Amino acid sequence: VEAQDQDERTLQMRRQLRSERVAYTRSLLKTIRRKSACVIDPRHNQPILWWDVVTALACLFTAIVTPYEVGFMQPSTSPSDGVFILNQLVTVIFFCDMIINFNLSYRAGAGAGPHAAGWVTNPVRIAGHYLRTWFFIDFISIAVSAFDFVAVCFDTEANCAAKSASLEDDLFSVRVLRTLRALRLLKLFRVLRASRILKRWETRMTI
């Protein structure tokens, strides 16, 4: 009798463990579905189409204005300068696009069609894929905008100390400004986003 009671208790414990596992699995699936609601599907999402147009215009601005600005224009000396404000506006656009890429569904296989099961909608996989591929390039192209603020601050300090500066200090200031100007060419990495935008447009056209 004791053996039967023990077997029944063991069976009840197993059933309880199974029910707890099933409940945990269901709650986990619900959590994943809620998180998946934040995922953007570029195949059917209409706002992302207009956002791609805005990002493409920002890429065009960067490709045309940045080389000319670095090669022929004087660095911005005031935060109220028109070119400085435009550059920071474009930087904000690319920063928002970087955030969107953490939630943007992508096609896992090159041979998968637009309606195939190869499209990844898991938020964790999407974020991991972006971190392993384009994140570093996008981050560098955005972080380099900090040199715009450094140039403004450095130019202000240089003007304040211009009267007491020696020739050696002037040469140092020129070298620093030239270095900052050259580093701003890293903004051209932003143009690489155009390839991703074209792929998304191509995917929409094949639907």
Side-chain angles (χ1 to χ4, degrees), residues 164-194:
S164 60
S166 62
L167 179 60
E168 184 177 355
D169 293 334
D170 290 339
L171 291 176
F172 176 75
S173 301
V174 171
R175 290 174 183 173
V176 171
L177 290 176
R178 286 180 178 177
T179 302
L180 293 176
R181 179 177 294 184
L183 288 174
R184 286 158 64 188
L185 284 174
L186 293 175
K187 291 182 180 179
L188 293 176
F189 280 138
R190 299 173 177 179
V191 181
L192 297 176
R193 295 173 188 246

mmCIF file of all heavy atoms in Angstrom, residues 164-194:
data_model
loop_
_atom_site.group_PDB
_atom_site.id
_atom_site.type_symbol
_atom_site.label_atom_id
_atom_site.label_comp_id
_atom_site.label_asym_id
_atom_site.label_seq_id
_atom_site.Cartn_x
_atom_site.Cartn_y
_atom_site.Cartn_z
ATOM 1 N N SER A 164 47.012 86.307 -27.921
ATOM 2 C CA SER A 164 48.161 85.891 -27.125
ATOM 3 C C SER A 164 48.827 84.633 -27.658
ATOM 4 O O SER A 164 49.773 84.141 -27.056
ATOM 5 C CB SER A 164 47.728 85.652 -25.671
ATOM 6 O OG SER A 164 46.732 84.645 -25.629
ATOM 7 N N ALA A 165 48.352 84.096 -28.774
ATOM 8 C CA ALA A 165 48.886 82.836 -29.291
ATOM 9 C C ALA A 165 50.175 83.079 -30.051
ATOM 10 O O ALA A 165 50.344 84.080 -30.739
ATOM 11 C CB ALA A 165 47.864 82.168 -30.207
ATOM 12 N N SER A 166 51.087 82.127 -29.945
ATOM 13 C CA SER A 166 52.337 82.189 -30.677
ATOM 14 C C SER A 166 52.180 81.522 -32.033
ATOM 15 O O SER A 166 51.143 80.941 -32.353
ATOM 16 C CB SER A 166 53.446 81.503 -29.877
ATOM 17 O OG SER A 166 53.128 80.125 -29.699
ATOM 18 N N LEU A 167 53.230 81.585 -32.856
ATOM 19 C CA LEU A 167 53.186 80.962 -34.170
ATOM 20 C C LEU A 167 53.048 79.450 -34.059
ATOM 21 O O LEU A 167 52.318 78.821 -34.840
ATOM 22 C CB LEU A 167 54.465 81.318 -34.947
ATOM 23 C CG LEU A 167 54.588 80.712 -36.362
ATOM 24 C CD1 LEU A 167 53.426 81.179 -37.240
ATOM 25 C CD2 LEU A 167 55.940 81.079 -36.974
ATOM 26 N N GLU A 168 53.717 78.852 -33.078
ATOM 27 C CA GLU A 168 53.625 77.408 -32.875
ATOM 28 C C GLU A 168 52.200 76.993 -32.503
ATOM 29 O O GLU A 168 51.698 75.977 -32.985
ATOM 30 C CB GLU A 168 54.594 76.984 -31.777
ATOM 31 C CG GLU A 168 54.641 75.476 -31.557
ATOM 32 C CD GLU A 168 55.663 75.092 -30.500
ATOM 33 O OE1 GLU A 168 56.384 75.993 -30.027
ATOM 34 O OE2 GLU A 168 55.729 73.891 -30.155
ATOM 35 N N ASP A 169 51.545 77.808 -31.680
ATOM 36 C CA ASP A 169 50.156 77.518 -31.303
ATOM 37 C C ASP A 169 49.232 77.626 -32.507
ATOM 38 O O ASP A 169 48.284 76.841 -32.660
ATOM 39 C CB ASP A 169 49.691 78.468 -30.201
ATOM 40 C CG ASP A 169 50.427 78.233 -28.899
ATOM 41 O OD1 ASP A 169 50.898 77.089 -28.701
ATOM 42 O OD2 ASP A 169 50.544 79.179 -28.098
ATOM 43 N N ASP A 170 49.507 78.611 -33.387
ATOM 44 C CA ASP A 170 48.692 78.762 -34.597
ATOM 45 C C ASP A 170 48.824 77.548 -35.497
ATOM 46 O O ASP A 170 47.834 77.061 -36.050
ATOM 47 C CB ASP A 170 49.101 80.026 -35.351
ATOM 48 C CG ASP A 170 48.697 81.285 -34.591
ATOM 49 O OD1 ASP A 170 47.788 81.170 -33.742
ATOM 50 O OD2 ASP A 170 49.292 82.338 -34.851
ATOM 51 N N LEU A 171 50.040 77.049 -35.665
ATOM 52 C CA LEU A 171 50.256 75.866 -36.498
ATOM 53 C C LEU A 171 49.554 74.646 -35.910
ATOM 54 O O LEU A 171 48.978 73.830 -36.641
ATOM 55 C CB LEU A 171 51.763 75.598 -36.639
ATOM 56 C CG LEU A 171 52.550 76.627 -37.459
ATOM 57 C CD1 LEU A 171 54.050 76.281 -37.429
ATOM 58 C CD2 LEU A 171 52.059 76.657 -38.901
ATOM 59 N N PHE A 172 49.593 74.523 -34.588
ATOM 60 C CA PHE A 172 48.900 73.417 -33.929
ATOM 61 C C PHE A 172 47.391 73.495 -34.161
ATOM 62 O O PHE A 172 46.728 72.485 -34.419
ATOM 63 C CB PHE A 172 49.209 73.437 -32.434
ATOM 64 C CG PHE A 172 48.461 72.394 -31.652
ATOM 65 C CD1 PHE A 172 48.839 71.059 -31.702
ATOM 66 C CD2 PHE A 172 47.344 72.751 -30.882
ATOM 67 C CE1 PHE A 172 48.135 70.090 -30.982
ATOM 68 C CE2 PHE A 172 46.648 71.792 -30.164
ATOM 69 C CZ PHE A 172 47.044 70.465 -30.222
ATOM 70 N N SER A 173 46.842 74.702 -34.077
ATOM 71 C CA SER A 173 45.408 74.887 -34.300
ATOM 72 C C SER A 173 45.021 74.503 -35.717
ATOM 73 O O SER A 173 43.985 73.854 -35.947
ATOM 74 C CB SER A 173 45.015 76.340 -34.026
ATOM 75 O OG SER A 173 45.322 76.708 -32.694
ATOM 76 N N VAL A 174 45.855 74.886 -36.680
ATOM 77 C CA VAL A 174 45.576 74.546 -38.079
ATOM 78 C C VAL A 174 45.600 73.035 -38.284
ATOM 79 O O VAL A 174 44.750 72.466 -38.980
ATOM 80 C CB VAL A 174 46.594 75.237 -39.008
ATOM 81 C CG1 VAL A 174 46.449 74.713 -40.442
ATOM 82 C CG2 VAL A 174 46.394 76.744 -38.984
ATOM 83 N N ARG A 175 46.568 72.361 -37.666
ATOM 84 C CA ARG A 175 46.656 70.906 -37.798
ATOM 85 C C ARG A 175 45.444 70.213 -37.190
ATOM 86 O O ARG A 175 44.913 69.251 -37.768
ATOM 87 C CB ARG A 175 47.930 70.410 -37.124
ATOM 88 C CG ARG A 175 49.213 70.805 -37.855
ATOM 89 C CD ARG A 175 50.438 70.415 -37.051
ATOM 90 N NE ARG A 175 51.670 70.853 -37.695
ATOM 91 C CZ ARG A 175 52.880 70.755 -37.148
ATOM 92 N NH1 ARG A 175 52.999 70.243 -35.921
ATOM 93 N NH2 ARG A 175 53.939 71.170 -37.804
ATOM 94 N N VAL A 176 45.009 70.706 -36.033
ATOM 95 C CA VAL A 176 43.834 70.104 -35.395
ATOM 96 C C VAL A 176 42.600 70.279 -36.259
ATOM 97 O O VAL A 176 41.819 69.343 -36.456
ATOM 98 C CB VAL A 176 43.612 70.718 -33.993
ATOM 99 C CG1 VAL A 176 42.273 70.258 -33.420
ATOM 100 C CG2 VAL A 176 44.739 70.327 -33.058
ATOM 101 N N LEU A 177 42.410 71.470 -36.797
ATOM 102 C CA LEU A 177 41.240 71.724 -37.642
ATOM 103 C C LEU A 177 41.270 70.878 -38.912
ATOM 104 O O LEU A 177 40.236 70.376 -39.368
ATOM 105 C CB LEU A 177 41.166 73.212 -37.994
ATOM 106 C CG LEU A 177 40.817 74.158 -36.841
ATOM 107 C CD1 LEU A 177 40.882 75.599 -37.291
ATOM 108 C CD2 LEU A 177 39.436 73.840 -36.295
ATOM 109 N N ARG A 178 42.453 70.711 -39.494
ATOM 110 C CA ARG A 178 42.568 69.864 -40.682
ATOM 111 C C ARG A 178 42.246 68.405 -40.353
ATOM 112 O O ARG A 178 41.607 67.712 -41.142
ATOM 113 C CB ARG A 178 43.972 69.975 -41.274
ATOM 114 C CG ARG A 178 44.240 71.296 -41.999
ATOM 115 C CD ARG A 178 45.652 71.325 -42.552
ATOM 116 N NE ARG A 178 45.901 72.563 -43.289
ATOM 117 C CZ ARG A 178 47.075 72.879 -43.837
ATOM 118 N NH1 ARG A 178 48.108 72.031 -43.705
ATOM 119 N NH2 ARG A 178 47.213 74.012 -44.484
ATOM 120 N N THR A 179 42.715 67.957 -39.204
ATOM 121 C CA THR A 179 42.423 66.576 -38.788
ATOM 122 C C THR A 179 40.934 66.375 -38.575
ATOM 123 O O THR A 179 40.349 65.376 -39.025
ATOM 124 C CB THR A 179 43.182 66.242 -37.497
ATOM 125 O OG1 THR A 179 44.590 66.429 -37.711
ATOM 126 C CG2 THR A 179 42.933 64.801 -37.087
ATOM 127 N N LEU A 180 40.299 67.332 -37.908
ATOM 128 C CA LEU A 180 38.853 67.234 -37.686
ATOM 129 C C LEU A 180 38.096 67.261 -39.001
ATOM 130 O O LEU A 180 37.106 66.529 -39.176
ATOM 131 C CB LEU A 180 38.386 68.388 -36.793
ATOM 132 C CG LEU A 180 38.887 68.375 -35.347
ATOM 133 C CD1 LEU A 180 38.423 69.630 -34.614
ATOM 134 C CD2 LEU A 180 38.378 67.137 -34.621
ATOM 135 N N ARG A 181 38.567 68.061 -39.923
ATOM 136 C CA ARG A 181 37.896 68.138 -41.229
ATOM 137 C C ARG A 181 38.016 66.813 -41.974
ATOM 138 O O ARG A 181 37.046 66.348 -42.599
ATOM 139 C CB ARG A 181 38.518 69.270 -42.051
ATOM 140 C CG ARG A 181 37.908 69.424 -43.429
ATOM 141 C CD ARG A 181 38.503 70.600 -44.170
ATOM 142 N NE ARG A 181 38.161 71.868 -43.538
ATOM 143 C CZ ARG A 181 38.506 73.054 -44.043
ATOM 144 N NH1 ARG A 181 39.212 73.113 -45.161
ATOM 145 N NH2 ARG A 181 38.148 74.150 -43.428
ATOM 146 N N ALA A 182 39.189 66.190 -41.911
ATOM 147 C CA ALA A 182 39.378 64.908 -42.594
ATOM 148 C C ALA A 182 38.535 63.808 -41.955
ATOM 149 O O ALA A 182 37.965 62.956 -42.660
ATOM 150 C CB ALA A 182 40.856 64.522 -42.576
ATOM 151 N N LEU A 183 38.435 63.823 -40.627
ATOM 152 C CA LEU A 183 37.650 62.794 -39.944
ATOM 153 C C LEU A 183 36.173 62.894 -40.288
ATOM 154 O O LEU A 183 35.455 61.890 -40.275
ATOM 155 C CB LEU A 183 37.841 62.913 -38.433
ATOM 156 C CG LEU A 183 39.211 62.472 -37.899
ATOM 157 C CD1 LEU A 183 39.323 62.777 -36.407
ATOM 158 C CD2 LEU A 183 39.433 60.989 -38.137
ATOM 159 N N ARG A 184 35.722 64.085 -40.624
ATOM 160 C CA ARG A 184 34.310 64.251 -40.968
ATOM 161 C C ARG A 184 33.958 63.560 -42.280
ATOM 162 O O ARG A 184 32.779 63.366 -42.577
ATOM 163 C CB ARG A 184 33.974 65.741 -41.042
ATOM 164 C CG ARG A 184 33.900 66.375 -39.653
ATOM 165 C CD ARG A 184 34.097 67.866 -39.698
ATOM 166 N NE ARG A 184 33.049 68.536 -40.431
ATOM 167 C CZ ARG A 184 33.093 69.835 -40.745
ATOM 168 N NH1 ARG A 184 34.146 70.553 -40.386
ATOM 169 N NH2 ARG A 184 32.102 70.387 -41.397
ATOM 170 N N LEU A 185 34.948 63.173 -43.047
ATOM 171 C CA LEU A 185 34.683 62.408 -44.273
ATOM 172 C C LEU A 185 34.109 61.030 -43.964
ATOM 173 O O LEU A 185 33.540 60.379 -44.850
ATOM 174 C CB LEU A 185 35.968 62.265 -45.098
ATOM 175 C CG LEU A 185 36.416 63.510 -45.873
ATOM 176 C CD1 LEU A 185 37.770 63.258 -46.510
ATOM 177 C CD2 LEU A 185 35.384 63.884 -46.941
ATOM 178 N N LEU A 186 34.271 60.590 -42.715
ATOM 179 C CA LEU A 186 33.685 59.304 -42.333
ATOM 180 C C LEU A 186 32.160 59.330 -42.423
ATOM 181 O O LEU A 186 31.526 58.270 -42.403
ATOM 182 C CB LEU A 186 34.117 58.936 -40.911
ATOM 183 C CG LEU A 186 35.615 58.634 -40.713
ATOM 184 C CD1 LEU A 186 35.917 58.419 -39.235
ATOM 185 C CD2 LEU A 186 36.017 57.414 -41.516
ATOM 186 N N LYS A 187 31.596 60.511 -42.527
ATOM 187 C CA LYS A 187 30.149 60.607 -42.711
ATOM 188 C C LYS A 187 29.695 59.926 -44.003
ATOM 189 O O LYS A 187 28.534 59.542 -44.132
ATOM 190 C CB LYS A 187 29.711 62.071 -42.745
ATOM 191 C CG LYS A 187 29.822 62.808 -41.415
ATOM 192 C CD LYS A 187 29.321 64.230 -41.572
ATOM 193 C CE LYS A 187 29.421 65.011 -40.270
ATOM 194 N NZ LYS A 187 28.948 66.406 -40.431
ATOM 195 N N LEU A 188 30.615 59.797 -44.944
ATOM 196 C CA LEU A 188 30.259 59.185 -46.227
ATOM 197 C C LEU A 188 29.870 57.721 -46.066
ATOM 198 O O LEU A 188 29.280 57.128 -46.978
ATOM 199 C CB LEU A 188 31.422 59.323 -47.215
ATOM 200 C CG LEU A 188 31.737 60.756 -47.663
ATOM 201 C CD1 LEU A 188 32.966 60.773 -48.563
ATOM 202 C CD2 LEU A 188 30.544 61.368 -48.388
ATOM 203 N N PHE A 189 30.204 57.123 -44.918
ATOM 204 C CA PHE A 189 29.731 55.757 -44.657
ATOM 205 C C PHE A 189 28.203 55.691 -44.650
ATOM 206 O O PHE A 189 27.617 54.626 -44.858
ATOM 207 C CB PHE A 189 30.263 55.253 -43.315
ATOM 208 C CG PHE A 189 31.681 54.756 -43.368
ATOM 209 C CD1 PHE A 189 32.583 55.056 -42.352
ATOM 210 C CD2 PHE A 189 32.111 53.977 -44.420
ATOM 211 C CE1 PHE A 189 33.887 54.594 -42.404
ATOM 212 C CE2 PHE A 189 33.418 53.509 -44.479
ATOM 213 C CZ PHE A 189 34.301 53.819 -43.474
ATOM 214 N N ARG A 190 27.568 56.836 -44.412
ATOM 215 C CA ARG A 190 26.106 56.859 -44.385
ATOM 216 C C ARG A 190 25.507 56.489 -45.740
ATOM 217 O O ARG A 190 24.390 55.980 -45.809
ATOM 218 C CB ARG A 190 25.617 58.248 -43.967
ATOM 219 C CG ARG A 190 26.074 58.680 -42.582
ATOM 220 C CD ARG A 190 25.690 60.127 -42.316
ATOM 221 N NE ARG A 190 26.064 60.545 -40.966
ATOM 222 C CZ ARG A 190 25.862 61.769 -40.493
ATOM 223 N NH1 ARG A 190 25.287 62.681 -41.245
ATOM 224 N NH2 ARG A 190 26.225 62.077 -39.252
ATOM 225 N N VAL A 191 26.260 56.784 -46.789
ATOM 226 C CA VAL A 191 25.749 56.514 -48.136
ATOM 227 C C VAL A 191 25.539 55.019 -48.349
ATOM 228 O O VAL A 191 24.729 54.608 -49.192
ATOM 229 C CB VAL A 191 26.725 57.099 -49.180
ATOM 230 C CG1 VAL A 191 26.219 56.874 -50.603
ATOM 231 C CG2 VAL A 191 26.914 58.602 -48.935
ATOM 232 N N LEU A 192 26.247 54.188 -47.584
ATOM 233 C CA LEU A 192 26.086 52.741 -47.723
ATOM 234 C C LEU A 192 24.679 52.273 -47.378
ATOM 235 O O LEU A 192 24.266 51.183 -47.778
ATOM 236 C CB LEU A 192 27.106 52.016 -46.843
ATOM 237 C CG LEU A 192 28.581 52.248 -47.182
ATOM 238 C CD1 LEU A 192 29.475 51.554 -46.165
ATOM 239 C CD2 LEU A 192 28.894 51.742 -48.589
ATOM 240 N N ARG A 193 23.932 53.086 -46.643
ATOM 241 C CA ARG A 193 22.558 52.719 -46.316
ATOM 242 C C ARG A 193 21.692 52.644 -47.574
ATOM 243 O O ARG A 193 20.652 51.982 -47.570
ATOM 244 C CB ARG A 193 21.948 53.727 -45.349
ATOM 245 C CG ARG A 193 22.593 53.772 -43.987
ATOM 246 C CD ARG A 193 22.014 54.917 -43.188
ATOM 247 N NE ARG A 193 22.744 55.111 -41.932
ATOM 248 C CZ ARG A 193 22.220 54.923 -40.739
ATOM 249 N NH1 ARG A 193 20.979 54.514 -40.617
ATOM 250 N NH2 ARG A 193 22.919 55.139 -39.640
ATOM 251 N N ALA A 194 22.113 53.350 -48.604
ATOM 252 C CA ALA A 194 21.313 53.364 -49.831
ATOM 253 C C ALA A 194 21.135 51.966 -50.409
ATOM 254 O O ALA A 194 20.090 51.654 -50.988
ATOM 255 C CB ALA A 194 21.965 54.282 -50.860
#
